[in-house]
């Protein structure tokens, strides 16, 4: 993802800065998606694994990136609290 774009993106709900989700976080999230336990904010299931995602500074919400395009819709966000083993801290890209 373009660094200039990443520098200006913020969470539409909390206005926190966003960064690329690190590999441990992405792996934990995708394991929960595979188990069928992940829902988006609007209550729909997230069935497809994520190849890339953005995460809020407090690591509480994730937004998927589809083909290099961030999907920054509140209803499409994924709360990390529903992933039992989601890393609470991580390397920020």
């Amino acid at each position: 993802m373009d660094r200039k774009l990443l520098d200006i993106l913020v969470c539409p709900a909390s206005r926190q800065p966003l960064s690329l989700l690190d590999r441990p976080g992405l792996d934990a999230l995708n394991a929960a998606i595979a188990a069928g336990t992940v829902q988006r904010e609007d209550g729909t299931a997230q069935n497809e694994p994520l190849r890339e995602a953005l995460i809020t500074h407090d690591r509480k919400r994730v937004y998927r990136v589809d083909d290099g395009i961030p999907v920054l819709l509140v209803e499409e966000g994924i709360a990390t609290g529903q992933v039992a083993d989601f890393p609470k801290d991580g390397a920020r890209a």
Side-chain angles (χ1 to χ4, degrees):
M1 173 166 289
D2 182 52
R3 185 76 214 170
K4 288 181 184 179
L5 177 62
L6 190 56
D7 287 343
I8 63 171
L9 292 178
V10 297
C11 171
S14 68
R15 300 312 221 191
Q16 292 182 48
L18 295 169
S19 59
L20 285 173
L21 181 59
D22 54 76
R23 177 55 54 190
L26 194 60
D27 290 346
L29 188 57
N30 281 332
I33 290 169
T37 61
V38 175
Q39 290 187 344
R40 297 179 187 159
E41 294 288 334
D42 67 1
T44 61
Q46 175 65 41
N47 296 317
E48 297 297 318
L50 305 180
R51 287 190 282 160
E52 190 174 25
L54 298 173
I55 189 163
T56 56
H57 183 73
D58 65 5
R59 297 183 63 83
K60 292 185 178 180
R61 185 173 288 146
V62 169
Y63 294 95
R64 72 183 194 278
V65 177
D66 292 343
D67 298 321
I69 301 170
V71 181
L72 297 180
L73 301 170
V74 174
E75 60 271 14
E76 300 264 338
I78 299 169
T80 60
Q82 62 187 311
V83 180
D85 58 347
F86 191 82
K88 298 300 179 202
D89 57 0
R92 290 192 172 52

